[in-house]
Amino acid sequence: MAFWDYANPTRFLRLVQVVLPWLIGFCVLAFAAGLYMAFFTAPEDYQQGNTVRIMYIHVPAAWLCMMCYTVMSISSIGTLVWKHPLADVSAKSAAPIGAAFTFMALVTGSLWGKPMWGTYWVWDARLTSVLVLLIMYLGLMTLWRTMDDPIKAGKSAAILTLVGALNLPIIKFSVDWWNTLHQPASVVRMDGPTIHADILWPLLIMAVAFTLLFFVLHLMAMRNEILRRRVRALRMRAASVSRPGTAAATAQPAE
Amino acid sequence: MRSSHLKLIAENLTIDRGGRRVFQDLSFSLSQGSALVVTGANGIGKSSLLRTLAGLVSLAAGTIRLEGGETDRLPQEQAHYFGHQDAVKPALSVLENLRFWQNFAAASVCEGFTGATLSPLLVLDTLGIGHTAHLPAAYLSAGQKRRLSLSRLLVTPRPVWLMDEPTSALDKASEQQLLGIMNDHLASGGLIVTATHTELVLDRIETLHLQAADPAEQAPEEALL
Amino acid sequence: MTGWAMALFQRDLRLSVRIGGSALVGVLFFLAVVTVIPFGVGPDLNLLARIGPAILWIGALLATLLGLDRLFQADREDGTLDLMLMAGRPLELVILIKCLAHWIATGLPLVVAAPLLAIFLNLDPVSMGAVTLTLLVGTPALTLIGAIGASLTVSLRRGGLLLAVLVIPLAIPVLIFGVSSADAAIHDPVPFVTPFLILCALTLIAAVVGPVASAAALRFSAD
Amino acid sequence: MELGTHAGFIIASYALCILTVLVLVAWVRIDKANQERALKELAEQGISRARREHESR
């Protein structure tokens, strides 16, 4: 039952107030450690040289754009099955953050690719899938924006999110298939066959840092969304002329 | 008095629309052969109530059930909704429009309700638009479209009629005819819930007056989130 | 087919034939897209033959998306959709039938027109047949996936563009396997059957996911 | 430290990431300020949820 208690918006806001400073602290620490290791302790790749350092932001960003979609999918189930308003708030505020991380993954991927492939963009299976994911994020955000009623918009977006979640593996599979058909053999794969511990540790710490960053931003965005809905409800109350009715049935038997 | 098998029961209905509470804890029960006339000021939620009974607006709380109705069907699937929109396709002929609804909407017959399936042509004749049967519905006037929409209620028997401002766009004579049809429906054991501004002369009327609540009691926590 | 389903199917088919000749507009749009491509890539017949299946598929995708926004909107505007929700028929089936009628009215003409347009693109008879066959199997999936977008945007006045944006990512797998199997029939060493069967599977998946998701969306839209 | 021949790409990726994060943070903060201002304005008009909350808790 504890979960449901925190799912109450007011209590949730209080919880955010308590948790947020800690999260921010850990996040900063993780970034400090991760960045230090990424630049000073991690070795150069024998093949890619220093460009391998882009991996320490590219891979966590790519991991987060998947995790963010997972969070949105779970929230969407919450919206549709339990009809809880906080689930909807969570899904809505995760979308822009997810889009931003997806954008990061794409940009770093293409900046990493330029020295490797000699071009900023290749229609590599993974980059292509991430691009499709970005379009889906942006589409979802647009859907939310175009509907005035947040409850209705939330339900529509939840359905689309879940259809997208079903479709993402299919898209990934098709893009992989398509890629093997058309792929030139010379493309350098981004991940080496085995990852050395000196590379793995900074990567893991950066992944943790990014994950913490996501939760910090997500909680803050959720808080904003709750406030926004309060403002909306209060404005509506300010504008409403008619008050909600409590109806009394007065039966007047005719005949 | 007829033995009352059918009973439409609404308990503690609460509706939120667009983040605003329309009404809360509304309860009533309506027995067979009677009409419930919903009155109240504009915007108070009469249409919302009818759309809720029609299953088109989701309930924030409460239940609606049709006692004595078919158990494997939802209450709204045993009801006709006669709202502001006529659901008439101008590209189809009048008869095609009506035949579609007769075939598409599931009839609902239950004990004590003796509404019959009437033939489309007969119904159109009764409502005075029989001569238009083979014309595209685009040629109908607003009143004729309204009557075509009304005929939908007669070709598929369903015990509950939900009628939102049924007399709008109808002239005096048609209004009388409409009242006759509504009384026939009640006599055959049906139920009617109607929202209206004008006085309707029906056989057994109960009224439900929707009234604004004390502002202090309105809009609970959940609605504000 | 039971009576109600047949009634719905006939009604939808009649409506799309009688209103504006949506089939004709779709085919014209398809023709226009295919005509425009050579102006973009140049009249090199070899190049056109190579990318021909892709052009036809993209043309069909765009033409399908074009007509989808009215799939439920017309019914919502005149109150028909409300009554359909109350009709006591399974909404998923209702949507499936509406999609079928819509596909026959707008998708099938595209399939029929495809061999003709393939001539412009210098496709040989084998690839012509292959493209037409893949379109026949694949375009229903586009309609069914599009139904999700159509029901999500049903309450929006100008939902057409948004619908396309929402639907295109979901339609990518269909496009990939449609074009792949058409290509496979022509030159690639991959057997035709493999991607073609996957395309069939995608259509079947769409026939389940599409109606279920859009039924959920339509139920909420009545609110 | 030495970043080698591709220093520009590495710096550009990190810079763009930092920029994106900064934009996100700015968005969150500005949004919060906006909503809180709106709530305050409403409270000044005498429309707030504070009263009821005290009653219910």
Side-chain angles (χ1 to χ4, degrees):
Chain A
M1 283 328 268
F3 171 73
W4 285 110
D5 289 346
Y6 287 116
N8 168 307
T10 310
R11 250 169 252 177
F12 173 79
L13 285 184
R14 243 176 270 156
L15 178 77
V16 170
Q17 213 66 31
V18 176
V19 171
L20 209 51
W22 289 93
L23 269 180
I24 294 174
F26 283 126
C27 179
V28 170
L29 279 180
F31 264 112
L35 286 173
Y36 175 81
M37 288 171 88
F39 277 100
F40 297 104
T41 68
E44 287 179 25
D45 189 73
Y46 71 99
Q47 210 179 0
Q48 307 182 22
N50 266 313
T51 44
V52 78
R53 305 205 192 278
I54 296 178
M55 180 181 74
Y56 301 116
I57 43 177
H58 172 75
V59 172
W63 140 247
L64 264 195
C65 67
M66 292 311 297
M67 192 192 81
C68 184
Y69 203 90
T70 314
V71 167
M72 286 172 66
S73 306
I74 296 170
S75 303
S76 300
I77 297 174
T79 305
L80 293 179
V81 178
W82 298 296
K83 300 186 172 57
H84 200 284
L86 259 191
D88 172 27
V89 168
S90 154
K92 185 181 177 186
S93 36
I97 305 173
F101 280 115
T102 314
F103 173 73
M104 266 189 233
L106 278 180
V107 168
T108 53
S110 104
L111 281 171
W112 191 6
K114 174 68 179 168
M116 293 299 102
W117 303 318
T119 165
Y120 284 107
W121 185 262
V122 289
W123 289 91
D124 163 76
R126 257 173 302 174
L127 276 177
T128 311
S129 306
V130 173
L131 180 64
V132 174
L133 188 62
L134 181 65
I135 297 174
M136 286 172 63
Y137 273 125
L138 296 178
L140 276 168
M141 285 163 66
T142 322
L143 187 63
W144 254 303
R145 290 189 78 98
T146 44
M147 292 192 172
D148 322 317
D149 180 350
I151 308 283
K152 239 163 125 174
K155 283 173 180 168
S156 297
I159 292 170
L160 186 63
T161 310
L162 288 179
V163 172
L166 276 178
N167 226 297
L168 273 177
I170 302 180
I171 293 175
K172 183 77 178 65
F173 164 71
S174 339
V175 171
D176 280 344
W177 159 278
W178 164 81
N179 200 239
T180 50
L181 277 188
H182 299 278
Q183 190 179 41
S186 63
V187 171
V188 180
R189 307 304 304 179
M190 281 186 180
D191 46 0
T194 51
I195 300 180
H196 194 268
D198 288 346
I199 293 178
L200 189 63
W201 273 110
L203 190 60
L204 280 179
I205 291 174
M206 282 302 274
V208 170
F210 267 72
T211 312
L212 286 171
L213 176 64
F214 167 76
F215 281 116
V216 168
L217 289 170
H218 188 214
L219 286 182
M220 287 167 88
M222 276 177 80
R223 181 169 63 186
N224 291 345
E225 185 60 28
I226 292 174
L227 293 182
R228 188 182 353 267
R229 289 186 187 193
R230 284 194 176 158
V231 169
R232 187 175 180 277
L234 289 174
R235 279 191 180 145
M236 247 163 135
R237 202 208 284 174
S240 75
V241 191
S242 65
R243 303 296 187 192
T246 50
T250 42
Q252 305 174 334
E255 285 175 318
Chain B
M1 287 288 255
R2 201 175 293 107
S3 68
S4 289
H5 288 291
L6 279 172
K7 207 167 190 183
L8 181 66
I9 300 171
E11 280 172 346
N12 305 322
L13 301 186
T14 302
I15 308 172
D16 294 334
R17 291 185 84 172
R20 182 161 54 164
R21 184 134 296 183
V22 183
F23 50 76
Q24 68 184 77
D25 290 335
L26 186 146
S27 303
F28 66 83
S29 83
L30 181 68
S31 48
Q32 196 163 23
S34 9
L36 183 70
V37 178
V38 185
T39 57
N42 273 334
I44 197 81
K46 298 193 296 284
S47 292
S48 293
L49 175 60
L50 285 182
R51 287 183 68 82
T52 308
L53 294 173
L56 299 169
V57 172
S58 52
L59 284 166
T63 51
I64 300 167
R65 44 179 220 276
L66 184 66
E67 221 171 65
E70 288 178 74
T71 44
D72 54 345
R73 278 186 190 284
L74 297 168
Q76 66 258 30
E77 292 171 356
Q78 301 172 56
H80 275 302
Y81 177 67
F82 183 63
H84 298 286
Q85 293 168 310
D86 292 328
V88 167
K89 291 285 175 197
L92 299 179
S93 79
V94 170
L95 196 57
E96 280 169 343
N97 265 299
L98 193 52
R99 280 224 171 104
F100 166 69
W101 285 116
Q102 182 173 40
N103 292 327
F104 184 68
S108 162
V109 254
C110 32
E111 219 179 320
F113 171 62
T114 55
T117 312
L118 301 176
S119 97
L121 275 173
L122 184 74
V123 171
L124 289 177
D125 272 337
T126 319
L127 287 170
I129 47 173
H131 59 288
T132 62
H134 296 286
L135 288 177
Y139 296 106
L140 297 188
S141 68
Q144 286 173 320
K145 273 188 189 146
R146 199 86 186 124
R147 274 179 271 170
L148 169 55
S149 187
L150 179 66
S151 56
R152 182 167 53 79
L153 277 61
L154 299 171
V155 294
T156 310
R158 285 184 168 196
V160 182
W161 287 7
L162 307 168
M163 307 174 95
D164 198 355
E165 302 288 352
T167 52
S168 69
L170 290 180
D171 54 31
K172 264 278 166 282
S174 316
E175 200 180 310
Q176 282 310 311
Q177 197 177 22
L178 172 70
L179 287 176
I181 289 169
M182 285 166 81
N183 276 327
D184 287 348
H185 179 65
L186 294 177
S188 65
L191 301 87
I192 295 175
V193 180
T194 174
T196 180
H197 281 301
T198 52
E199 197 78 10
L200 293 179
V201 190
L202 294 171
D203 288 346
R204 289 175 58 198
I205 291 185
E206 297 184 17
T207 49
L208 176 71
H209 189 64
L210 295 181
Q211 220 170 17
D214 176 16
E217 287 173 25
Q218 68 173 316
E221 180 86 0
E222 262 66 25
L224 275 177
L225 200 134
Chain C
M1 236 188 231
T2 41
W4 67 269
M6 203 59 210
L8 176 65
F9 180 74
Q10 276 176 350
R11 184 199 81 128
D12 268 37
L13 213 53
R14 267 193 198 127
L15 282 174
S16 38
V17 170
R18 285 184 198 170
I19 300 174
S22 50
L24 191 66
V25 180
V27 171
L28 281 178
F29 179 80
F30 194 22
L31 174 66
V33 170
V34 171
T35 314
V36 153
I37 300 285
F39 292 111
V41 302
D44 177 359
L45 282 181
N46 288 330
L47 176 66
L48 284 179
R50 197 161 65 79
I51 61 174
I55 295 172
L56 289 174
W57 258 95
I58 290 170
L61 172 67
L62 295 179
T64 308
L65 288 179
L66 194 72
L68 271 170
D69 58 331
R70 297 298 290 167
L71 183 57
F72 301 116
Q73 221 168 36
D75 280 344
R76 184 192 153 90
E77 279 163 8
D78 64 10
T80 304
L81 194 61
D82 290 342
L83 302 178
M84 284 184 168
L85 290 170
M86 304 172 62
R89 310 297 184 191
L91 190 57
E92 288 80 4
L93 268 182
V94 169
I95 290 168
L96 192 65
I97 292 162
K98 279 185 78 74
C99 285
L100 183 67
H102 187 265
W103 178 77
I104 288 180
T106 61
L108 198 57
L110 299 180
V111 178
V112 173
L116 196 68
L117 297 181
I119 296 173
F120 292 125
L121 298 170
N122 191 31
L123 293 191
D124 56 63
V126 176
S127 38
M128 210 185 273
V131 173
T132 312
L133 189 60
T134 54
L135 281 175
L136 182 69
V137 173
T139 44
L142 297 181
T143 304
L144 289 160
I145 294 170
I148 303 174
S151 51
L152 288 173
T153 57
V154 70
S155 60
L156 305 177
R157 203 165 292 279
R158 296 179 52 79
L161 263 181
L162 179 59
L163 183 149
V165 173
L166 299 182
V167 165
I168 284 177
L170 305 177
I172 286 175
V174 179
L175 191 65
I176 286 178
F177 285 102
V179 177
S180 295
S181 47
D183 272 345
I186 310 164
H187 37 74
D188 272 353
V190 197
F192 170 73
V193 183
T194 320
F196 185 73
L197 286 182
I198 298 176
L199 182 66
C200 297
L202 286 177
T203 304
L204 291 179
I205 293 172
V208 178
V209 176
V212 170
S214 50
L218 284 182
R219 285 201 185 96
F220 294 135
S221 78
D223 223 317
Chain D
M1 64 168 297
E2 200 53 55
L3 286 176
T5 44
H6 299 303
F9 292 105
I10 302 169
I11 293 165
S13 336
Y14 277 84
L16 273 168
C17 278
I18 291 167
L19 191 72
T20 316
V21 173
L22 285 182
V23 168
L24 273 180
V25 171
W27 163 66
V28 163
R29 298 209 71 113
I30 292 171
D31 197 16
K32 180 161 188 265
N34 282 341
Q35 302 313 324
E36 277 172 350
R37 200 185 49 232
L39 277 177
K40 221 174 97 192
E41 274 167 19
L42 283 162
E44 277 162 11
Q45 290 169 36
I47 303 154
S48 81
R49 37 184 279 118
R51 178 175 48 89
R52 264 200 0 274
E53 230 173 61
H54 287 291
E55 280 168 9
S56 64
R57 264 161 242 278

